[in-house]
Amino acid sequence: MKLFGSSGTRGVVGDGLSPEFVLRVAKAAGTVWDTDRVVVARDTRTTGEMLSNAAESGLASVGVNVDRLGVTPTPGVVRYCEVEAVPALVITASHNPPEYNGVKLVGSDGVELSISELERIEDHILSEQFATATWDDVGRVRNVESANRDYVENLLSAVDREKIADANLTVALDPGHGAGALTSPQFFRELGCDVVTVNATPDGTFPGRNSEPVGSELEDLCRLVKAADADVGVAHDGDADRAVFVDEDGEFIPGESSLAALAAANLSPGDTTVAAVNVSQRLVDVCDDVGADLELTPIGATNIITRIRELWARGESVPIAGEGNGGIFFPNFRLVRDGAFVGAKFLELVADRPASELAAPYADYHNVRVNIEYDSEAELEAMLDAAREYAENSAATPNTTDGYRLDYGDAWVLVRPSGTEPKVRVYAESSEYERAQELADGAESALRVALDSLN
């Protein structure tokens, strides 16, 4: 696909992403979807209202009515789509920096669109084949005020509320100024937790921290956990479809470790879990210990969702899936990454054992990630050619599911282009930090030599 990546389409507003482009996406989606209603929602980004207005105009121009949800977490939008049987355009760039925005498309079944469905819409965008409504048949826009409250109520009914309440937990929460600021504080309080917050005011400039909830961005949350004597810290990204954690000692828990802990608690022998090709050895070890199967896909929610549906069609059980960035699926609840739900499932475990003990079995792994930016397609192609040559000359057999993954037994390294930013990413993991850094440095060096050769 030319326009859509692993999580919809994203770009820097004013430099690749414009209201005109969002208008065309909305017109194409409204043309392709056989429906008279479509949802439009957004996260807190400062450009969100502008782009939502463009989406609403595009839909109305092809004769589609709009349910305007306003600022709503992506999983809250998905719930609304499922209940109302209507598709959605979500204006969000998830974890990207504030200058970014994007469009995520959700079907009337409450599931992000498959690649084949995205390709149909993309074809209409590129060919500019749009329906046209007459002046008296344009769509109407109505405000929906209840989506966030209904989302919280649904979450409360889906988790072990009594167990969490009985544990008398103190939760330090960092919604990162994103859409989760409107729902997660209320949700965790109604679970019976004492909740303290940081970065909990909706603000699309993300003044307190960047939207991506990685360890280096969560120093305020770590301090809050210790100051409040909290049992756990929970952090979201901009559209609240991720959750990562800080233990009771104020130490960041890598997303790969929390995924492994949740998988160990939810997988049974004969189950299958699905993860992206950058999967941590932590999850591999859990599957081996439990007797569960592990299926790998290209990186991105769309790819994981597609594989889960294929496994369901074969009658297989998939109780948990996801990536080590905090984007975790509990498919039996809903086929969406849901940061608040994942947070509550982790609280169910913390009710029995401290967060540090939950993470301890998965502490002997070290991850290194390097991002290499590019400015042109020529630079991207040069780096991908270098990655291919590096992989072919290695002592490991490359896994080319998504980029080039090299497994060495004691460690692995992956090189792949980002699906959301003009970057090539290098991931490495080992039980020894020096080994992971060595592998990341080797791959990065090969890519930078290729870049230097163009100058």
Side-chain angles (χ1 to χ4, degrees):
M1 293 185 291
K2 296 181 179 179
L3 302 178
F4 294 106
S6 57
S7 295
T9 182
R10 295 180 195 165
V12 175
V13 179
D15 183 17
L17 187 75
S18 66
E20 293 81 5
F21 174 72
V22 173
L23 180 85
R24 291 169 62 210
V25 172
K27 291 175 70 173
T31 299
V32 169
W33 285 331
D34 183 20
T35 182
D36 60 358
R37 285 171 61 206
V38 171
V39 173
V40 174
R42 60 186 175 91
D43 65 20
T44 58
R45 291 165 192 272
T46 57
T47 56
E49 185 173 7
M50 173 185 72
L51 298 180
S52 293
N53 290 339
E56 292 166 6
S57 295
L59 291 166
S61 74
V62 299
V64 175
N65 296 318
V66 175
D67 287 1
R68 178 194 288 153
L69 269 56
V71 177
T72 308
T74 291
V77 181
V78 166
R79 186 215 67 85
Y80 186 91
C81 292
E82 179 185 276
V83 171
E84 297 291 327
V86 291
L89 279 83
V90 187
I91 306 300
T92 179
S94 189
H95 64 279
N96 288 106
E99 64 269 24
Y100 280 78
N101 216 325
V103 184
K104 186 177 293 188
L105 301 173
V106 179
S108 58
D109 56 355
V111 180
E112 291 183 34
L113 295 193
S114 66
I115 291 174
S116 62
E117 292 170 312
L118 289 172
E119 286 174 340
R120 286 183 62 208
I121 292 174
E122 184 172 285
D123 287 344
H124 279 261
I125 297 171
L126 296 174
S127 64
E128 297 192 354
Q129 295 179 356
F130 309 128
T132 302
T134 60
W135 70 270
D136 56 348
D137 199 32
V138 297
R140 301 288 188 266
V141 178
R142 74 181 184 105
N143 292 319
V144 176
E145 307 290 346
S146 60
N148 283 332
R149 179 64 219 172
D150 292 343
Y151 165 59
V152 170
E153 290 290 346
N154 179 240
L155 290 172
L156 290 169
S157 68
V159 300
D160 195 338
R161 191 172 180 178
E162 183 176 352
K163 180 178 184 179
I164 295 171
D166 287 347
N168 295 315
L169 300 175
T170 297
V171 174
L173 177 66
D174 180 354
H177 301 291
L182 300 182
T183 53
S184 284
Q186 177 186 6
F187 170 53
F188 289 115
R189 287 188 177 108
E190 293 194 30
L191 283 175
C193 301
D194 182 13
V195 179
V196 292
T197 62
V198 64
N199 302 321
T201 54
D203 188 332
T205 66
F206 306 133
R209 67 166 171 88
N210 289 327
S211 182
E212 187 170 15
V214 294
S216 59
E217 295 292 338
L218 300 179
E219 293 179 357
D220 287 345
L221 179 61
C222 292
R223 284 192 290 266
L224 179 61
V225 167
K226 290 189 285 187
D229 195 24
D231 296 282
V232 66
V234 182
H236 297 318
D237 61 337
D239 65 337
D241 67 353
R242 296 188 188 185
V244 297
F245 305 98
V246 171
D247 72 18
E248 74 280 5
D249 297 319
E251 297 294 326
F252 174 68
I253 299 174
E256 295 88 356
S257 295
S258 52
L259 172 58
L262 286 163
N266 287 276
L267 287 173
S268 299
D271 285 341
T272 301
T273 187
V274 181
V277 69
N278 61 341
V279 64
S280 169
Q281 187 66 31
R282 300 165 174 87
L283 185 59
V284 176
D285 291 348
V286 167
C287 290
D288 289 343
D289 291 342
V290 171
D293 293 325
L294 173 62
E295 295 271 347
L296 298 185
T297 73
I299 290 174
T302 298
N303 299 307
I304 293 176
I305 288 169
T306 298
R307 190 61 181 143
I308 291 171
R309 286 176 140 176
E310 291 171 352
L311 292 166
W312 277 350
R314 292 182 355 206
E316 297 192 31
S317 170
V318 188
I320 188 171
E323 298 175 285
N325 57 16
I328 300 175
F329 295 86
F330 283 87
N332 295 333
F333 167 59
R334 185 167 287 119
L335 199 50
V336 65
R337 298 174 298 188
D338 189 327
F341 186 78
V342 171
K345 297 301 288 184
F346 198 74
L347 291 189
E348 290 178 4
L349 304 184
V350 174
D352 291 328
R353 296 170 59 196
S356 60
E357 290 186 16
L358 293 170
Y362 315 107
D364 293 333
Y365 300 87
H366 299 276
N367 294 84
V368 175
R369 188 172 86 168
V370 179
N371 294 318
I372 306 175
E373 296 185 0
Y374 59 86
D375 297 320
S376 67
E377 286 297 313
E379 290 183 345
L380 172 60
E381 289 302 320
M383 285 195 285
L384 294 183
D385 288 343
R388 174 182 51 77
E389 184 176 351
Y390 182 80
E392 290 174 350
N393 292 330
S394 73
T397 301
N399 179 323
T400 57
T401 300
D402 184 0
Y404 299 91
R405 176 174 169 134
L406 305 173
D407 282 285
Y408 295 93
D410 67 323
W412 59 265
V413 62
L414 168 68
V415 180
R416 66 175 290 274
S418 168
T420 59
E421 298 177 90
K423 298 176 180 178
V424 173
R425 304 194 192 280
V426 178
Y427 308 81
E429 181 182 71
S430 175
S431 58
E432 297 180 356
Y433 176 78
E434 292 77 10
R435 174 66 166 148
Q437 189 67 61
E438 174 190 15
L439 289 174
D441 288 346
E444 179 188 8
S445 176
L447 301 188
R448 293 202 181 277
V449 167
L451 280 182
D452 291 341
S453 69
L454 295 178
N455 300 323

